[in-house]
Amino acid sequence: MLLSLLFQKQLIKQLEIFDREKFEIFLITLFEYKNIPNLYEKVPLDVHVFRIGIKSKLDIKGLWKLFKVLKEISPNVVVTSMFSANTVFRFMKLFLGYKVFAREHNIYLEKKWWQTRVDKCLSKITNKIIAVSKTVAEFASKQAGISMEKFIVIHNGVEINEIEKYKNSFSKMEARQKTNIPTDSIVFLN
């Protein structure tokens, strides 16, 4: 859940900073997650939102709804995240012709053999695979047998102003007390 919350915050920030003079922004979510706080109320009002509500991997009705939405809005570029979305949007590119950029956020040790085969096959029609670090790019490349030339590394952004605000309101002693960390302990944060 924490990862989802962090991703939501990143997504909302990205939606806020896109240049509206150059881009018309659409947000398409495939699944509904009831245990995650509502991200939709934080989406900027000028972003077009489509909530598809796919029920399972074999939800033909949901996939058809997505196809019709994509055909209607006719995007030039689609940026996707996570295996399911990366797969669906890359496959639909065959019929709709947009550019697709799949994102890799992590090293997925638990990825099944068939998922790596799907990634390798669909990488041929993917414009670029965006990885959040060189390590993630190298791992995904090796895991699925995809050329490193297909990858581009774009590190997650850091909001310096937010860090400064937090840093100025932060008390190390108070944090140690709240977390029961002795004052003579050395703390490493990664």
Side-chain angles (χ1 to χ4, degrees):
M1 180 148 150
L2 178 61
L3 180 60
S4 297
L5 291 173
L6 291 173
F7 177 72
Q8 282 185 28
K9 188 172 182 176
Q10 281 180 333
L11 173 65
I12 296 302
K13 186 45 104 179
Q14 287 174 348
L15 292 174
E16 290 171 352
I17 64 173
F18 274 111
D19 184 347
R20 299 316 199 260
E21 297 293 319
K22 294 180 182 177
F23 302 104
E24 185 175 9
I25 311 297
F26 296 86
L27 172 64
I28 300 174
T29 56
L30 300 183
F31 306 100
E32 295 289 334
Y33 297 99
K34 293 179 179 20
N35 62 337
I36 299 175
N38 193 344
L39 102 106
Y40 300 103
E41 59 198 37
K42 297 175 182 141
V43 173
L45 295 175
D46 64 337
V47 172
H48 309 278
V49 177
F50 293 90
R51 297 169 74 167
I52 303 300
I54 293 176
K55 310 246 184 302
S56 71
K57 292 175 184 165
L58 299 175
D59 180 3
I60 302 302
K61 187 176 177 182
L63 292 169
W64 181 247
K65 180 180 177 182
L66 173 63
F67 182 83
K68 288 192 317 188
V69 164
L70 287 169
K71 190 165 176 60
E72 175 189 327
I73 64 178
S74 188
N76 299 90
V77 176
V78 173
V79 180
T80 66
S81 296
M82 302 180 72
F83 178 77
S84 295
N86 288 347
T87 301
V88 169
F89 283 98
R90 289 191 283 185
F91 181 73
M92 288 190 181
K93 171 196 172 153
L94 293 170
F95 304 99
L96 299 168
Y98 47 74
K99 292 182 180 180
V100 67
F101 296 85
R103 295 185 348 166
E104 289 288 343
H105 299 273
N106 211 332
I107 329 179
Y108 298 103
L109 296 173
E110 72 282 355
K111 213 176 233 188
K112 311 259 186 305
W113 68 269
W114 63 268
Q115 291 174 311
T116 60
R117 293 301 111 212
V118 167
D119 279 342
K120 181 174 181 140
C121 289
L122 292 178
S123 73
K124 294 172 182 12
I125 61 168
T126 305
N127 294 80
K128 282 290 185 182
I129 301 169
I130 302 168
V132 298
S133 71
K134 184 178 177 196
T135 301
V136 169
E138 289 171 346
F139 181 87
S141 170
K142 184 176 179 183
Q143 184 185 48
I146 301 168
S147 167
M148 275 299 290
E149 292 175 6
K150 204 49 132 162
F151 289 84
I152 184 170
V153 174
I154 301 176
H155 300 280
N156 287 331
V158 177
E159 268 198 83
I160 301 299
N161 294 342
E162 291 295 317
I163 292 171
E164 288 298 322
K165 278 195 292 189
Y166 181 75
K167 187 173 92 174
N168 294 335
S169 68
F170 180 78
S171 162
K172 290 181 185 177
M173 281 306 231
E174 191 177 310
R176 284 178 179 271
Q177 289 170 350
K178 285 181 180 178
T179 56
N180 295 319
I181 298 173
T183 56
D184 59 344
S185 294
I186 297 173
V187 177
F188 288 92
L189 180 63
N190 182 357

